[in-house]
Amino acid sequence: MRNTVFRLVLIIVIMSGSSATGWGADKVIFQLKSDSPILSGFAKAGDKLAGHREGIERLRSNAEISQAGIINVLEALEARGEIESYRRFWIANVVMVAGPKEVIDRLAQRPDIVAVYDDLPISLVDPVETGEADILSEGHEVGLDIVGAPDVWRMGLDGSGSLVCNFDTGVDGDHPALEARYRGNNGADPAECWFDPYTNTQYPSDLHGHGSHTMGTMIGADISDTVGVAPGAQWIAAGVVDRGGGID
Protein backbone atom coordinates (compact mmCIF):
# COMPACT_ATOMS: atom_id res chain seq x y z
CA MET A 1 0.00 0.00 0.00
CA ARG A 2 2.74 2.47 0.91
CA ASN A 3 4.52 1.88 -2.44
CA THR A 4 1.22 2.33 -4.30
CA VAL A 5 0.56 5.63 -2.56
CA PHE A 6 4.06 6.85 -3.36
CA ARG A 7 3.75 5.99 -7.04
CA LEU A 8 0.40 7.78 -7.28
CA VAL A 9 1.84 10.87 -5.68
CA LEU A 10 4.89 10.66 -7.95
CA ILE A 11 2.71 10.52 -11.06
CA ILE A 12 0.70 13.52 -9.90
CA VAL A 13 3.60 15.69 -8.80
CA ILE A 14 6.44 15.01 -11.25
CA MET A 15 5.42 16.28 -14.69
CA SER A 16 8.58 17.76 -16.09
CA GLY A 17 8.34 15.98 -19.44
CA SER A 18 11.87 14.65 -19.91
CA SER A 19 12.98 12.97 -23.10
CA ALA A 20 15.12 10.51 -21.12
CA THR A 21 15.32 7.00 -22.52
CA GLY A 22 16.89 5.02 -19.66
CA TRP A 23 17.43 5.45 -15.95
CA GLY A 24 21.02 6.39 -16.61
CA ALA A 25 19.96 9.14 -19.02
CA ASP A 26 20.22 12.84 -18.36
CA LYS A 27 17.16 13.41 -16.15
CA VAL A 28 16.10 11.18 -13.28
CA ILE A 29 14.14 11.28 -10.04
CA PHE A 30 15.78 10.21 -6.79
CA GLN A 31 13.56 8.95 -3.99
CA LEU A 32 15.05 9.79 -0.60
CA LYS A 33 15.19 7.46 2.38
CA SER A 34 12.94 8.28 5.32
CA ASP A 35 12.19 6.48 8.57
CA SER A 36 9.58 8.98 9.75
CA PRO A 37 5.88 7.99 9.79
CA ILE A 38 4.12 10.30 7.36
CA LEU A 39 0.70 9.05 6.36
CA SER A 40 -0.53 8.59 9.92
CA GLY A 41 -0.84 12.35 10.18
CA PHE A 42 -3.74 12.29 7.73
CA ALA A 43 -5.71 9.78 9.80
CA LYS A 44 -6.43 11.88 12.86
CA ALA A 45 -9.92 10.80 13.87
CA GLY A 46 -12.68 13.37 14.04
CA ASP A 47 -10.83 16.36 12.59
CA LYS A 48 -9.97 16.15 8.89
CA LEU A 49 -8.65 19.69 8.67
CA ALA A 50 -6.24 19.24 11.56
CA GLY A 51 -5.23 15.82 10.27
CA HIS A 52 -4.45 17.16 6.81
CA ARG A 53 -2.52 20.08 8.26
CA GLU A 54 -0.45 17.74 10.42
CA GLY A 55 0.19 15.43 7.47
CA ILE A 56 1.43 18.30 5.29
CA GLU A 57 3.67 19.59 8.05
CA ARG A 58 5.17 16.12 8.46
CA LEU A 59 5.75 15.81 4.71
CA ARG A 60 7.51 19.18 4.56
CA SER A 61 9.62 18.50 7.65
CA ASN A 62 10.56 15.02 6.50
CA ALA A 63 11.68 16.27 3.08
CA GLU A 64 13.67 19.13 4.60
CA ILE A 65 15.57 16.73 6.87
CA SER A 66 16.06 13.77 4.54
CA GLN A 67 17.00 15.88 1.49
CA ALA A 68 19.51 18.11 3.28
CA GLY A 69 22.56 16.01 2.43
CA ILE A 70 21.94 15.56 -1.27
CA ILE A 71 20.81 19.18 -1.72
CA ASN A 72 24.15 20.39 -0.36
CA VAL A 73 25.93 18.16 -2.87
CA LEU A 74 23.68 19.22 -5.76
CA GLU A 75 24.18 22.92 -5.00
CA ALA A 76 27.93 22.41 -5.24
CA LEU A 77 27.66 20.37 -8.44
CA GLU A 78 25.43 22.99 -10.06
CA ALA A 79 27.77 25.80 -9.03
CA ARG A 80 30.67 23.98 -10.72
CA GLY A 81 28.62 23.28 -13.83
CA GLU A 82 28.71 19.50 -13.31
CA ILE A 83 24.93 19.14 -13.44
CA GLU A 84 22.40 21.14 -15.42
CA SER A 85 19.76 21.58 -12.72
CA TYR A 86 17.88 20.00 -9.85
CA ARG A 87 14.45 20.41 -8.31
CA ARG A 88 13.12 19.16 -4.99
CA PHE A 89 9.58 17.98 -4.18
CA TRP A 90 8.43 17.71 -0.59
CA ILE A 91 5.13 15.97 -1.17
CA ALA A 92 6.78 12.78 -2.48
CA ASN A 93 10.23 13.32 -0.90
CA VAL A 94 12.00 13.14 -4.25
CA VAL A 95 14.58 15.22 -6.09
CA MET A 96 14.78 15.56 -9.88
CA VAL A 97 18.32 15.90 -11.26
CA ALA A 98 19.39 16.68 -14.81
CA GLY A 99 23.03 16.02 -15.63
CA PRO A 100 25.59 13.68 -17.23
CA LYS A 101 25.11 9.95 -16.84
CA GLU A 102 28.33 9.50 -14.89
CA VAL A 103 27.24 12.04 -12.29
CA ILE A 104 23.79 10.45 -12.05
CA ASP A 105 25.42 7.04 -11.55
CA ARG A 106 27.60 8.39 -8.76
CA LEU A 107 24.73 10.08 -6.97
CA ALA A 108 22.65 6.92 -7.20
CA GLN A 109 25.14 5.14 -4.92
CA ARG A 110 24.42 7.45 -2.00
CA PRO A 111 23.02 5.65 1.08
CA ASP A 112 20.16 8.16 1.39
CA ILE A 113 18.85 7.23 -2.09
CA VAL A 114 16.42 4.30 -2.04
CA ALA A 115 15.18 4.35 -5.66
CA VAL A 116 15.88 5.97 -9.03
CA TYR A 117 13.17 6.57 -11.62
CA ASP A 118 13.15 7.78 -15.21
CA ASP A 119 11.68 11.25 -15.49
CA LEU A 120 9.53 10.19 -18.43
CA PRO A 121 6.80 12.16 -20.21
CA ILE A 122 3.29 11.26 -19.14
CA SER A 123 1.04 9.82 -21.83
CA LEU A 124 -2.29 8.06 -21.89
CA VAL A 125 -2.70 4.41 -22.83
CA ASP A 126 -5.92 3.73 -24.73
CA PRO A 127 -7.97 0.74 -23.55
CA VAL A 128 -7.82 -2.52 -25.49
CA GLU A 129 -11.57 -2.41 -25.91
CA THR A 130 -14.51 -0.33 -24.71
CA GLY A 131 -18.16 -1.05 -24.09
CA GLU A 132 -21.17 -0.14 -22.00
CA ALA A 133 -21.19 -1.56 -18.48
CA ASP A 134 -24.29 -3.25 -17.12
CA ILE A 135 -26.33 -1.16 -14.70
CA LEU A 136 -28.00 -2.82 -11.73
CA SER A 137 -31.63 -2.20 -10.88
CA GLU A 138 -30.57 -0.52 -7.62
CA GLY A 139 -29.18 2.37 -9.66
CA HIS A 140 -25.42 1.90 -9.44
CA GLU A 141 -22.71 0.33 -11.54
CA VAL A 142 -21.75 -3.34 -11.18
CA GLY A 143 -18.14 -2.52 -10.29
CA LEU A 144 -19.23 -0.69 -7.14
CA ASP A 145 -20.60 -3.95 -5.74
CA ILE A 146 -17.35 -5.69 -6.55
CA VAL A 147 -15.35 -3.21 -4.44
CA GLY A 148 -17.97 -3.19 -1.68
CA ALA A 149 -18.92 0.48 -2.01
CA PRO A 150 -22.64 0.03 -1.16
CA ASP A 151 -21.70 -1.67 2.11
CA VAL A 152 -19.69 1.39 3.08
CA TRP A 153 -22.48 3.74 2.00
CA ARG A 154 -24.85 1.92 4.36
CA MET A 155 -22.45 2.81 7.15
CA GLY A 156 -22.99 6.47 6.31
CA LEU A 157 -19.67 6.89 4.49
CA ASP A 158 -20.24 8.19 0.97
CA GLY A 159 -17.52 10.83 0.73
CA SER A 160 -19.61 13.69 2.15
CA GLY A 161 -17.35 16.34 3.63
CA SER A 162 -14.36 15.20 1.55
CA LEU A 163 -12.65 16.80 -1.44
CA VAL A 164 -11.05 14.80 -4.26
CA CYS A 165 -8.79 15.91 -7.08
CA ASN A 166 -7.36 14.51 -10.29
CA PHE A 167 -4.51 15.68 -12.50
CA ASP A 168 -5.58 14.31 -15.86
CA THR A 169 -6.87 15.46 -19.26
CA GLY A 170 -9.35 17.73 -17.51
CA VAL A 171 -12.95 17.24 -16.39
CA ASP A 172 -16.20 18.05 -18.16
CA GLY A 173 -17.67 20.50 -15.67
CA ASP A 174 -21.09 20.36 -17.38
CA HIS A 175 -21.43 16.57 -17.13
CA PRO A 176 -24.70 15.74 -15.32
CA ALA A 177 -22.94 13.24 -13.07
CA LEU A 178 -20.23 15.73 -12.06
CA GLU A 179 -21.50 19.31 -12.31
CA ALA A 180 -23.36 19.45 -8.99
CA ARG A 181 -20.31 18.48 -6.94
CA TYR A 182 -17.72 20.70 -8.60
CA ARG A 183 -16.26 22.75 -5.74
CA GLY A 184 -16.37 25.90 -7.85
CA ASN A 185 -20.16 25.51 -8.13
CA ASN A 186 -20.46 25.24 -4.37
CA GLY A 187 -19.23 28.61 -3.16
CA ALA A 188 -15.47 28.15 -3.50
CA ASP A 189 -13.20 30.43 -5.55
CA PRO A 190 -13.10 28.89 -9.07
CA ALA A 191 -9.42 29.87 -9.34
CA GLU A 192 -8.70 27.46 -6.48
CA CYS A 193 -10.76 24.64 -8.00
CA TRP A 194 -9.58 24.37 -11.61
CA PHE A 195 -6.13 24.77 -13.19
CA ASP A 196 -5.49 24.80 -16.93
CA PRO A 197 -1.88 25.80 -17.69
CA TYR A 198 -2.21 25.27 -21.44
CA THR A 199 -5.35 27.06 -22.64
CA ASN A 200 -6.18 28.95 -19.44
CA THR A 201 -9.87 28.06 -19.42
CA GLN A 202 -11.76 29.35 -16.39
CA TYR A 203 -14.23 26.46 -16.11
CA PRO A 204 -13.41 22.72 -16.13
CA SER A 205 -13.30 21.17 -19.58
CA ASP A 206 -12.01 17.92 -21.08
CA LEU A 207 -11.25 17.47 -24.77
CA HIS A 208 -10.15 13.86 -24.36
CA GLY A 209 -12.55 12.30 -21.86
CA HIS A 210 -10.10 10.34 -19.74
CA GLY A 211 -10.13 12.79 -16.85
CA SER A 212 -13.93 12.92 -16.81
CA HIS A 213 -13.98 9.12 -16.71
CA THR A 214 -11.60 8.89 -13.77
CA MET A 215 -13.45 11.64 -11.89
CA GLY A 216 -16.66 9.75 -12.51
CA THR A 217 -15.09 6.65 -11.01
CA MET A 218 -14.32 8.68 -7.91
CA ILE A 219 -17.51 10.67 -7.32
CA GLY A 220 -19.87 10.42 -10.31
CA ALA A 221 -23.62 10.31 -9.70
CA ASP A 222 -26.82 11.74 -11.13
CA ILE A 223 -30.51 11.17 -10.46
CA SER A 224 -30.70 7.76 -12.12
CA ASP A 225 -27.28 6.22 -11.71
CA THR A 226 -24.30 6.21 -9.36
CA VAL A 227 -20.93 5.42 -10.93
CA GLY A 228 -18.52 6.80 -8.31
CA VAL A 229 -17.19 5.23 -5.15
CA ALA A 230 -17.65 8.45 -3.14
CA PRO A 231 -20.71 10.18 -4.66
CA GLY A 232 -21.04 12.58 -1.72
CA ALA A 233 -17.62 14.18 -2.20
CA GLN A 234 -16.84 17.40 -4.05
CA TRP A 235 -14.05 17.71 -6.62
CA ILE A 236 -11.37 19.99 -8.02
CA ALA A 237 -9.07 19.22 -10.95
CA ALA A 238 -6.22 20.25 -13.22
CA GLY A 239 -6.06 19.63 -16.97
CA VAL A 240 -2.38 18.81 -17.46
CA VAL A 241 -2.13 15.47 -19.32
CA ASP A 242 -2.23 14.87 -23.09
CA ARG A 243 -3.16 18.43 -23.98
CA GLY A 244 -1.28 18.38 -27.28
CA GLY A 245 1.50 20.71 -26.27
CA GLY A 246 3.69 18.41 -24.23
CA ILE A 247 4.21 18.44 -20.49
CA ASP A 248 6.74 20.90 -19.04
Side-chain angles (χ1 to χ4, degrees):
M1 180 62 180
R2 183 178 294 271
N3 287 338
T4 300
V5 171
F6 171 76
R7 288 189 176 91
L8 287 174
V9 172
L10 194 64
I11 290 170
I12 292 173
V13 174
I14 312 301
M15 297 185 180
S16 53
S18 166
S19 59
T21 57
W23 95 243
D26 65 353
K27 189 180 286 189
V28 299
I29 297 164
F30 291 120
Q31 180 188 351
L32 277 296
K33 180 180 180 181
S34 173
D35 298 320
S36 302
I38 300 298
L39 299 182
S40 60
F42 292 96
K44 183 178 290 186
D47 191 340
K48 288 185 178 180
L49 182 61
H52 288 174
R53 184 181 297 112
E54 180 181 335
I56 290 171
E57 289 173 353
R58 289 188 183 187
L59 287 167
R60 289 184 182 276
S61 175
N62 177 67
E64 188 71 25
I65 294 170
S66 58
Q67 294 178 14
I70 192 170
I71 294 301
N72 287 336
V73 172
L74 293 173
E75 286 178 349
L77 290 172
E78 187 178 47
R80 297 196 298 267
E82 296 183 39
I83 61 170
E84 179 182 329
S85 62
Y86 70 91
R87 185 178 180 187
R88 60 196 304 179
F89 298 88
W90 59 266
I91 194 169
N93 195 21
V94 299
V95 177
M96 183 278 291
V97 179
K101 181 180 184 304
E102 58 270 20
V103 177
I104 298 295
D105 289 343
R106 187 169 70 249
L107 290 169
Q109 305 306 311
R110 291 176 54 89
D112 53 354
I113 301 297
V114 296
V116 184
Y117 300 90
D118 287 325
D119 186 14
L120 298 174
I122 297 173
S123 60
L124 294 174
V125 177
D126 291 329
V128 175
E129 60 180 295
T130 61
E132 295 294 326
D134 294 330
I135 301 176
L136 297 183
S137 59
E138 292 87 350
H140 60 259
E141 300 293 328
V142 175
L144 295 173
D145 282 302
I146 295 175
V147 300
D151 295 332
V152 179
W153 298 340
R154 284 188 283 271
M155 297 168 59
L157 303 173
D158 68 349
S160 295
S162 296
L163 180 66
V164 303
C165 175
N166 72 3
F167 284 50
D168 207 307
T169 60
V171 175
D172 179 0
D174 293 320
H175 195 290
L178 302 173
E179 180 181 11
R181 283 174 304 285
Y182 170 50
R183 186 78 155 195
N185 289 336
N186 286 274
D189 182 353
E192 297 177 355
C193 303
W194 167 246
F195 178 56
D196 176 5
Y198 295 100
T199 53
N200 298 308
T201 54
Q202 302 302 304
Y203 189 78
S205 61
D206 183 5
L207 298 179
H208 185 282
H210 188 273
S212 300
H213 177 91
T214 59
M215 186 60 75
T217 300
M218 291 190 275
I219 60 98
D222 60 19
I223 296 174
S224 62
D225 188 20
T226 298
V227 298
V229 175
Q234 294 184 6
W235 62 271
I236 60 177
V240 295
V241 177
D242 197 32
R243 300 297 301 279
I247 300 171
D248 300 315

